[in-house]
Amino acid sequence: MLTVGVDLAAEAVRTAVAWVEWSAGRAFVKDVAVGADDDLIIEAIKGAGKAGIDCPLGWPELFVSFVSAHRAGDVVVPGGLGRDWRRDLALRVTDRAVHERTGLRPLSVSADRIAHPAMRCAALLARLAVETGTAVARDGGGPVVEVYPAASLKEWGLPYRGYKRTENAEARGRMIDALLAAAPWLSLGDHESACRRSDDAADAVIAALTARAAACGLVTVPGPAQVANAVTEGWIAIPTTPLDALR
């Protein structure tokens, strides 16, 4: 199996893609590309058994309804305009599920700068649907699954905070050391230095590992009350087993 991880940013310069090859109880990072443009991302996903994208695949249903009503001049004002009402517009069902399971809070796709990568992601998924002839399932049931590297790392008992940005190379190195110690069957090969140098590259590898977990059915899936929202809003797949179960 070949899995792909995409750490998606609004622009190519901060976007990374990782390819991980799986065979005979081992995993090998075949390639890592930092500065990935749309063409590279599309081709990588099309060539993978499963691809994990670190980016929201949709917007909260309540937010979409609110914006539509606002455009039509037909907003229904709830009693007591306050934080709870705004939070309902800002968070997807999957964001709440991730917080309940891990204690982590995904960025709000309707109220934070993560919306810019999400717009790019929506365009990429639309193009992918045209080129493959099949709509991309946002709930993770198809070739693409939404991932959250920090949550994956936490669930695997690995360092998950403080490794972002150039100035945190030392912390990122400790995270990579912990990953390789926990998964001696994983080889970063010639791309280890890139992962230590770039948090985008490191997150792309974690996204590819999470894609493997999703392909093996070792991640969270929407419950009966969450399915309808997951189809339109997206669903973050969180690993449910130790890292060693992936090989």
Side-chain angles (χ1 to χ4, degrees):
M1 174 184 286
L2 178 70
T3 61
V4 160
V6 181
D7 181 51
L8 191 69
E11 305 296 337
V13 67
R14 288 302 309 274
T15 298
V17 178
W19 292 257
V20 178
E21 202 166 64
W22 303 81
S23 62
R26 298 193 62 81
F28 177 72
V29 176
K30 188 176 180 181
D31 199 4
V32 173
V34 178
D37 62 16
D38 293 354
D39 290 344
L40 179 60
I41 294 169
I42 291 293
E43 290 307 309
I45 294 174
K46 287 164 64 174
K50 193 80 169 183
I53 300 182
D54 178 16
C55 182
L57 301 190
W59 279 262
E61 279 288 334
L62 290 176
F63 174 74
V64 173
S65 297
F66 170 76
V67 171
S68 297
H70 179 270
R71 183 178 186 277
D74 192 28
V75 171
V76 177
V77 180
L81 293 174
R83 182 179 301 174
D84 290 343
W85 174 68
R86 296 195 304 273
R87 185 181 294 116
D88 286 342
L89 299 179
L91 298 177
R92 301 176 294 163
V93 167
T94 189
D95 298 329
R96 296 177 184 276
V98 168
H99 183 252
E100 289 172 6
R101 182 180 180 89
T102 69
L104 300 177
R105 292 187 181 276
L107 294 176
S108 167
V109 67
S110 55
D112 210 315
R113 286 181 294 178
I114 193 69
H116 290 279
M119 293 174 192
R120 183 185 181 195
C121 187
L124 284 168
L125 296 187
R127 177 178 161 185
L128 187 64
V130 170
E131 294 190 13
T132 62
T134 305
V136 177
R138 298 179 206 163
D139 62 1
V144 171
V145 64
E146 183 178 339
V147 301
Y148 182 14
S152 292
L153 289 168
K154 186 175 183 182
E155 290 297 285
W156 287 329
L158 300 172
Y160 63 95
R161 290 189 188 277
Y163 67 89
K164 302 281 191 175
R165 301 182 182 278
T166 303
E167 61 268 25
N168 293 319
E170 186 176 339
R172 187 161 52 254
R174 289 194 294 270
M175 185 272 281
I176 296 296
D177 290 341
L179 171 64
L180 294 176
W185 40 266
L186 171 66
S187 172
L188 298 179
D190 295 336
H191 310 289
E192 183 172 338
S193 60
C195 292
R196 292 181 182 276
R197 182 173 60 252
S198 164
D199 59 87
D200 301 320
D203 276 350
V205 170
I206 300 303
L209 297 179
T210 308
R212 166 72 171 185
C216 296
L218 305 177
V219 295
T220 55
V221 295
Q226 300 165 320
V227 169
N229 289 89
V231 168
T232 57
E233 297 181 344
W235 180 263
I236 299 171
I238 305 298
T240 56
T241 63
L243 183 60
D244 201 52
L246 302 189
R247 59 174 174 163

